[in-house]
Amino acid sequence: MSETDIIETINQLVSKEFLDINDINELIDQIKQLNFDTALNQISNNNYHLIKLLCNEAKKSIDSNLVTEIIKFINVIANEDKNIVSILIEMESFNWIIPNCFIVEETLSINYLTTLNLIFSNFDNLPKKELLKLDDSFLDSLIELALQFKDYYETNFIHSLYYTMFGYQKNIISDGYSPLILKLYSIKEAPEIGPEMISLLNRSNLEYNMLPQCLSLINDLFTYSTEHEIPCFFFTLDIKVLIDIIIREINNLDELDPSRWQFLEVLSTIIDHSEYSSPNFNNDSKDNNNNQNNNYNDEEIISFYKIDDIKNVLSILNEDRNSEKDPQSSILSKSILKKLNKLQQQKKR
């Protein structure tokens, strides 16, 4: 078929008052045959009538396979035309995106998570009516899905779900801790998904510009544990990996990069946590120190995990040249250094 014939077929389908399953499949197939720019033009015609039509059909349909095909199609074009994300909100699409996300086969749910991530990352203030749909049941289903994904060899599934968590954290405003923090601490198995969250942070770049939300979530998980005097959400080994990541990022990030300040804040929160100063956490550090300081008694060996590396990188931030260019990092690093020195003094006593 020529491009003209394809466009004519699309227009005929879109002009129908109702579309059945075959019509929708044909509509998507016809659009896929166009070059991308032409397809985008067709999609945006008549105030995105085609997208609104697909949203309405997805909302009415009980065929999850059809709805999944619609969401796959929307994801591809929404990456190129952000107006489509606004249309999804306008059409109150959470009504069908969220239920289908958790009833389809696990491997297909990533398509719906991708849509949620596009929405979360492109909106700072979602309508209250839509936020109410991100309820307790939504969080239960999200964490249950994460527990299923954690054993997958391919990490893109659980990483996509983490981005959904970060997006939730970005959009939900609550007094005190977000419902996500409370939920993660209320589900016994939830800490099992912690290691892969740290692994995701270890990437050089997070998708959807979600690094601030990732660090905010991690920071809140530590502060909640400290305030309520309960075991930390993260396992000991993962906390050590997290500290290693923070040291690296503080050292590598450009001056005045707000991410550096956030990494410093998370580091400060970790050091405030009782886990950092616990004997079990620092056993390895003590063993290493014993090997290097055979002339000292055990009581004299004061060691905390990577404390020398932490102090070194913080001291660099306090050098005159750096403190002038980035006073915020200097202030934060001085505060952390005081905490570390205080910990060491307490151990000596």
Side-chain angles (χ1 to χ4, degrees):
M1 292 177 67
S2 67
E3 183 177 280
T4 302
D5 291 335
I6 293 172
I7 292 174
E8 178 63 27
T9 302
I10 292 171
N11 289 335
Q12 289 175 0
L13 288 167
V14 171
S15 64
K16 284 188 173 184
E17 186 174 354
F18 299 103
L19 295 178
D20 60 24
I21 292 175
N22 292 329
D23 290 334
I24 292 174
N25 284 327
E26 183 180 0
L27 179 58
I28 292 175
D29 287 340
Q30 292 293 329
I31 292 174
K32 287 179 178 178
Q33 294 181 52
L34 297 172
N35 71 60
F36 205 79
D37 289 338
T38 304
L40 285 177
N41 286 334
Q42 285 297 307
I43 289 164
S44 62
N45 280 346
N46 195 17
N47 194 24
Y48 295 90
H49 174 68
L50 189 151
I51 297 298
K52 294 176 181 179
L53 190 66
L54 291 177
C55 286
N56 281 326
E57 293 302 324
K59 184 177 180 179
K60 293 185 295 184
S61 179
I62 59 173
D63 184 344
S64 60
N65 291 325
L66 173 65
V67 178
T68 300
E69 288 305 309
I70 291 175
I71 208 71
K72 286 180 181 178
F73 174 73
I74 288 176
N75 286 342
V76 172
I77 54 178
N79 268 316
E80 300 297 327
D81 187 345
K82 302 306 179 187
N83 290 322
I84 293 170
V85 178
S86 298
I87 299 295
L88 292 174
I89 295 300
E90 177 188 329
M91 300 295 293
E92 299 183 1
S93 297
F94 279 178
N95 286 330
W96 57 272
I97 292 174
I98 292 175
N100 279 282
C101 180
F102 301 120
I103 64 173
V104 297
E105 182 185 340
E106 292 170 17
T107 54
L108 294 177
S109 63
I110 192 172
N111 298 294
Y112 297 88
L113 294 174
T114 298
T115 313
L116 290 173
N117 295 339
L118 286 169
I119 293 172
F120 287 149
S121 60
N122 284 283
F123 275 86
D124 290 326
N125 295 294
L126 286 169
K128 185 176 181 180
K129 188 175 181 181
E130 295 303 287
L131 290 175
L132 290 174
K133 296 164 188 172
L134 305 174
D135 55 13
D136 196 64
S137 175
F138 169 78
L139 290 178
D140 280 331
S141 299
L142 197 65
I143 295 173
E144 181 181 349
L145 189 59
L147 290 168
Q148 294 169 350
F149 283 162
K150 71 179 177 65
D151 295 323
Y152 278 30
Y153 177 76
E154 295 181 14
T155 59
N156 61 310
F157 291 97
I158 194 166
H159 286 180
S160 182
L161 190 142
Y162 282 135
Y163 288 125
T164 306
M165 286 186 177
F166 302 155
Y168 173 94
Q169 190 81 347
K170 173 186 176 184
N171 282 276
I172 294 295
I173 299 175
S174 58
D175 295 331
Y177 293 98
S178 78
L180 176 58
I181 299 295
L182 303 179
K183 184 64 67 175
L184 287 171
Y185 270 108
S186 69
I187 297 177
K188 183 179 179 181
E189 299 85 0
E192 295 176 16
I193 66 176
E196 201 56 49
M197 188 186 299
I198 303 302
S199 174
L200 176 60
L201 180 63
N202 199 25
R203 289 185 166 192
S204 55
N205 291 301
L206 269 66
E207 296 178 42
Y208 307 105
N209 297 315
M210 285 291 186
L211 177 59
Q213 286 71 38
C214 175
L215 292 173
S216 173
L217 180 61
I218 291 172
N219 195 68
D220 283 355
L221 286 167
F222 275 99
T223 56
Y224 184 89
S225 171
T226 297
E227 288 183 16
H228 293 81
E229 298 182 345
I230 57 176
C232 185
F233 176 82
F234 296 105
F235 300 132
T236 296
L237 180 59
D238 298 317
I239 298 175
K240 291 182 176 182
V241 173
L242 177 57
I243 291 173
D244 291 341
I245 294 170
I246 292 173
I247 292 171
R248 182 194 70 206
E249 293 301 315
I250 290 173
N251 188 56
N252 292 342
L253 284 170
D254 294 335
E255 296 166 342
L256 300 181
D257 187 330
S259 297
R260 175 189 273 178
W261 306 336
Q262 221 176 344
F263 274 110
L264 285 165
E265 288 170 355
V266 175
L267 178 60
S268 180
T269 301
I270 293 173
I271 291 170
D272 285 337
H273 196 282
S274 59
E275 181 75 8
Y276 183 72
S277 57
S278 70
N280 289 336
F281 187 83
N282 291 290
N283 275 343
D284 291 342
S285 300
K286 186 172 181 179
D287 291 341
N288 290 336
N289 225 4
N290 275 329
N291 292 333
Q292 298 171 10
N293 300 280
N294 293 326
N295 295 327
Y296 292 88
N297 296 323
D298 284 349
E299 293 86 355
E300 296 174 312
I301 296 171
I302 313 302
S303 183
F304 296 92
Y305 183 73
K306 291 293 179 76
I307 190 167
D308 289 338
D309 291 338
I310 295 172
K311 282 190 167 185
N312 285 338
V313 74
L314 295 180
S315 296
I316 292 172
L317 297 181
N318 278 309
E319 292 176 355
D320 290 342
R321 183 185 68 84
N322 293 324
S323 61
E324 289 178 5
K325 290 185 176 181
D326 186 3
Q328 181 67 18
S329 290
S330 178
I331 292 170
L332 289 168
S333 62
K334 286 178 181 177
S335 173
I336 297 171
L337 284 169
K338 286 181 180 179
K339 292 179 181 181
L340 291 172
N341 290 333
K342 184 177 180 180
L343 280 176
Q344 288 184 307
Q345 290 299 321
Q346 288 173 342
K347 283 290 185 180
K348 287 180 180 179
R349 298 192 194 105

